[in-house]
Structures are given as C-alpha cells and as structure tokens.
Amino acid sequence: MPGRSGQAASGMAQRWAEQQAAARNRPVVSVVAGKTVNVGPIFRCRSGSRESLPMVHLPGGAGAVVVATPTFEVVQRAAQLSAGSAMVVIDDRGPNRLTGWAGALGATNLDNGQPATLDPTVREYITDLVLFDTNQYAEGWSRDSAHKLLAEMAAAGLLERAVVLGALVAYGVSARGLTVIASLIDLILPVATLFATPPD
C-alpha cells in the first residue's frame, strides 16, 4: 500500500480482513513481524515478542489472516493459517519486497483493486526453478540446474532477488530451498543488489 502510513495501511487491512472473516463467521488472526499470532485487532499484538510463529488451531480455521512486516518464511507460514479463507499482507520492508509473491498469486492491491501480475517469462523461469526443489536444491544436479536458470535470468536482465524469492514462496518452496536460492542469487548478482532485499 504505497503512500500510506503504517497505521492507515493497517487500518485498511484490518477492515478488509474483518469483512472477510464476518462472511465466514470465523475470527481474524493477526500476525506481526512473525513474532506473535493474535485473534483480534492487529494493534493488540505484542510487538516485542521473540517467539517463533506458532500455528494457531481454531475450530473451522481462521476467517482471515492479517500479516504485518513479514519475512518470506512468515508469509509462507501465514498462508497455511489462512488456507481456505483470506489473507492480507502489510509490507513496509521495501517497495518491491513482495511483488514476486503477489504477482505469482495474482493478489489484489487493496489501494486500487487491481490484481498483481508477474512477467510471463519470469513466471516460466520460476516454474522451472520449482521443479528443481525436489531435494531443497542440495548439492548436485538440482543445485547446478537452479544456478544455470538464475544465471540465464541475470543475463536476460530478469533476475531480481526479491521478486524471485517472493514468487518461490508463493509456489511453496521450502525455507531451506529459499536459503539456497538466495545464496545462488548473491553469487550471481553484484554485491550492491544485496541491499535491494532486506535479509529475513
């Protein structure tokens, strides 16, 4: 939600989530920075907690999940919480942090009502990368194949760290697989590009 304050974006996200949850007659679950899960308004979450994101067990599941300031892993785990319902993400870790994730899923931008998109060629590369996640890109054929695809993307000017990692999250690539892909990207791209994606 570019151009909005954190509080305004949170308020918009919370209202949307409450509408979604009311339609399902189930509660809203709020996740802040991956540290706390809370059933209820987002501002009631404990922001200083250092606990890992627990899986909340609710009768019938969540009606909607609100996620604020997430890492890629938290987005992935929050998606599991929201399975069969709805999820909204408030991201303030960089303007392009979750564009790959949103584009891969066709997520709707609440500011303009438009679905996010992913370049078709990038989507093809991402789909191929996912195929090599059979062993979480361990040493050998799958890692070498992933490295080759990423190098091809870089040569074509299509390798954006945040976009690739976010899209792989949307496709369900494991946390370990994401770590390997991130390390391969960091080998391929100039050092300056590392700062384009805040570390998780």
Side-chain angles (χ1 to χ4, degrees):
M1 298 180 190
R4 290 183 180 272
S5 69
Q7 187 170 2
S10 295
M12 174 185 273
Q14 187 68 33
R15 288 189 295 274
W16 181 87
E18 287 170 356
Q19 292 171 352
Q20 297 294 316
R24 295 172 174 84
N25 197 28
R26 287 184 260 159
V28 173
V29 174
S30 299
V31 180
V32 176
K35 308 303 181 188
T36 304
V37 172
N38 180 62
V39 178
I42 196 166
F43 294 115
R44 292 184 187 169
C45 291
R46 292 178 295 123
S47 61
S49 172
R50 293 297 177 199
E51 301 168 9
S52 61
L53 174 60
M55 297 304 289
V56 173
H57 298 287
L58 300 169
V65 175
V66 180
V67 188
T69 318
T71 62
F72 288 128
E73 184 179 0
V74 168
V75 168
Q76 199 167 45
R77 295 187 66 193
Q80 296 170 9
L81 287 177
S82 69
S85 63
M87 183 169 98
V88 60
V89 177
I90 309 156
D91 182 34
D92 63 359
R93 301 187 73 198
N96 301 313
R97 176 73 176 172
L98 292 175
T99 55
W101 172 80
L105 294 176
T108 300
N109 183 324
L110 292 185
D111 266 334
N112 59 28
Q114 297 298 311
T117 60
L118 191 63
D119 178 279
T121 305
V122 171
R123 186 181 292 275
E124 286 181 25
Y125 276 112
I126 296 297
T127 302
D128 289 343
L129 278 171
V130 172
L131 295 176
F132 300 128
D133 188 34
T134 53
N135 62 356
Q136 299 174 332
Y137 307 104
E139 295 293 337
W141 174 79
S142 64
R143 185 183 179 108
D144 293 342
S145 298
H147 186 273
K148 181 180 177 183
L149 282 177
L150 292 167
E152 287 180 11
M153 291 181 73
L158 298 172
L159 184 57
E160 294 181 51
R161 191 177 195 271
V163 171
V164 170
L165 295 177
L168 290 174
V169 167
Y171 277 83
V173 168
S174 64
R176 181 178 172 189
L178 289 176
T179 299
V180 174
I181 292 297
S183 68
L184 291 174
I185 292 172
D186 296 345
L187 288 173
I188 294 167
L189 293 179
V191 175
T193 64
L194 296 181
F195 299 106
T197 307
D200 282 344

